Amino acid sequence: MSVTAVRLVEVGARDGLQNEARTLAPEVRAELIRRLADAGLRHIEAGAFVSPRWVPQMAGTDTVLEKLPGDGDVTFSVLVPNERGMAMALESGCREVAVFTAASEAFNQRNINCSIDESLARFEPVLAAAKENGVAVRGYVSCVLGCPYSGPIPIADVVRTATRLYQMGCYEVSLGDTIGAGVPTGVRDLVSACAMEMPVARLAAHFHDTWGMATANCVAALEGGIRVFDSSVSGLGGCPYSPGATGNVATEDLIYLFEGMGLDTGADLGGVVAAGAFVDQRLGRETASRVARAWRARHGAA
Ligand code: HMG
Ligand code: MG
């Protein structure tokens, strides 16, 4: 069957903002998310119920959710690291959460203060509560193409962790190149190895653009059969436990890429560029998206 569409998961309001030096108020984050939804994005990560001491930028995620429309066709998901976060997500009426672990022990210790096995054990009650409440759970594996602390990561370690998340009940597992170290050949090998152990339709790709390889890596993932891509408006962010990592691949870049390839993303490039200008202005930063810059050069400031 030929591919006609891809699904974008917008992570700028979480993965992006969690790493910006300036913390935005929940009202501003909610306004950004509403603008992204107005631009056609249908799956948006709205925040994280994590320790505010560890990631102060995500404090007030409950307030963000309160300010979002609850009855539309947009999925607003949140990150939860443990049962406590899951309880907060349920209290806020979330219909989807994401759990997160890594293929690297060193990274997991620094990110969530436990081993990979301990993190998976923490997810058991989260998945049980999700099942009981009809909440969908997405899983993340970080450091799939390299770790900032321990270097290269064996593909088998990624496959093992991704498969475990899937078997535990995650409907989709997002493969995160947390430090943006990968290149297309590595992506191809990784996706084909994972796809031997779980359905490729249950995999998503999550690339950071540290070395400028993220769009090339998305094409490699697409060729490997992946149809779901995480991205961040204006290329916001990075990862607080991954020194030197820059933001996710920009949503604008993926819209231009995929629409140009004849694949429907459902999103309006001009609307996303405008949402990016809104958040960049609040953060006092320049966009990291080449496509956003080119769009503004042609159409004027958003
Ligand atoms: P800990 O210190 O080991 O755990 O942290 P703890 O149970 O001892 O709790 C410490 C404090 O946090 C306590 O409060 C708890 O009550 C509180 P205190 O007594 O100190 O006042 N606490 C919580 N507060 C709010 N929400 C919760 C929660 N749980 C405990 N859910 C913990 C363990 C997991 C909590 C901590 O390490 C943490 O929050 N880490 C978050 C790290 C994070 O958000 N990283 C970024 C997301 S991952 C990522 O970006 C990668 C990804 O994008 C994919 C990729 O690119 O690879 C997904
Ligand atoms: Mg990330």
Side-chain angles (χ1 to χ4, degrees), residues 29 49 58-67 88 92:
R29 281 142 60 193
F49 287 115
M58 289 295 102
T61 288
D62 50 349
T63 310
V64 173
L65 290 166
E66 265 169 30
K67 296 183 181 306
M88 294 165 90
S92 289

Side-chain angles (χ1 to χ4, degrees), residues 14-15 18 49 51 53 82 84 111 113 142 178 206:
R14 192 279 304 170
D15 202 356
Q18 76 184 8
F49 287 115
S51 166
R53 285 211 217 181
N82 53 19
R84 164 114 188 251
N111 194 32
N113 205 22
S142 288
T178 317
H206 178 112

Side-chain angles (χ1 to χ4, degrees), residues 160-219:
R160 190 180 322 114
T161 309
T163 311
R164 289 215 21 217
L165 286 173
Y166 176 64
Q167 287 165 347
M168 285 171 73
C170 293
Y171 80 91
E172 185 169 283
V173 178
S174 178
L175 301 173
D177 181 12
T178 317
I179 55 172
V183 296
T185 44
V187 173
R188 184 193 60 203
D189 294 348
L190 177 68
V191 173
S192 69
C194 289
M196 283 167 78
E197 300 297 326
M198 61 179 281
V200 72
R202 298 296 174 190
L203 289 167
H206 178 112
F207 294 118
H208 287 250
D209 206 20
T210 314
W211 296 91
M213 296 293 119
T215 47
N217 288 340
C218 285
V219 173

Side-chain angles (χ1 to χ4, degrees), residues 37-116:
D38 287 347
L41 293 161
R42 285 293 163 269
H43 191 151
I44 303 178
E45 259 187 12
F49 287 115
V50 297
S51 166
R53 285 211 217 181
W54 286 64
V55 188
Q57 294 92 332
M58 289 295 102
T61 288
D62 50 349
T63 310
V64 173
L65 290 166
E66 265 169 30
K67 296 183 181 306
L68 299 176
D71 53 356
D73 61 346
V74 184
T75 299
F76 299 112
S77 57
V78 293
L79 241 56
V80 300
N82 53 19
E83 251 182 305
R84 164 114 188 251
M86 184 61 184
M88 294 165 90
L90 288 174
E91 207 161 302
S92 289
C94 288
R95 305 313 304 154
E96 178 165 330
V97 300
V99 293
F100 53 106
T101 186
S104 153
E105 289 290 356
F107 181 86
N108 219 44
Q109 286 291 350
R110 284 173 173 83
N111 194 32
I112 50 175
N113 205 22
C114 64
S115 70
I116 297 167

